[in-house]
């Protein structure tokens, strides 16, 4: 069983979510993925968290932010678009 407190909240097929999860994999950080069921669920999440974009990454239950913030968290440079 995966008891991790690390999560990504994302839309299906989001390229930034794919980059974020690849970065987590690179650092061997276990995580769970929550894919929003629909736009309404995503909008409610954004309002609840006070954010404008997804994905949002949480490490040890603390919100890191999106892909760019995760890259900065690891002290790396963003992957080229």
């Amino acid at each position: 069983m995966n008891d991790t407190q690390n999560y990504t909240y994302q839309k299906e097929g989001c390229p930034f979510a794919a980059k974020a999860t690849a970065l987590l994999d690179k650092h061997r950080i276990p995580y769970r993925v929550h894919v929003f069921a629909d736009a309404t669920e995503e909008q409610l999440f954004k309002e609840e968290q006070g954010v404008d974009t997804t994905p949002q990454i949480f490490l040890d239950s603390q919100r890191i932010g999106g892909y760019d913030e995760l890259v900065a968290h690891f002290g790396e440079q963003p992957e080229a678009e």
Side-chain angles (χ1 to χ4, degrees):
M1 181 172 173
N2 185 350
D3 291 329
T4 184
Q5 296 298 308
N6 305 322
Y7 293 87
T8 69
Y9 291 85
Q10 62 194 54
K11 294 182 277 198
E12 183 72 40
C14 173
F16 288 101
K19 289 179 182 184
T21 56
L23 188 56
L24 292 170
D25 290 342
K26 174 184 170 184
H27 287 274
R28 297 183 177 175
I29 295 175
Y31 58 91
R32 291 184 181 182
V33 174
H34 177 89
V35 177
F36 298 114
D38 55 32
T40 300
E41 182 186 12
E42 180 185 11
Q43 187 57 41
L44 289 171
F45 172 85
K46 287 177 181 179
E47 290 172 6
E48 201 173 82
Q49 295 299 319
V51 297
D52 294 324
T53 62
T54 57
Q56 289 293 313
I57 295 90
F58 291 75
L59 299 179
D60 294 324
S61 299
Q62 298 296 311
R63 189 174 67 80
I64 300 300
Y67 169 70
D68 290 339
E69 291 83 8
L70 183 63
V71 169
H73 176 80
F74 289 123
E76 298 186 15
Q77 294 297 316
E79 190 178 291
E81 294 298 308

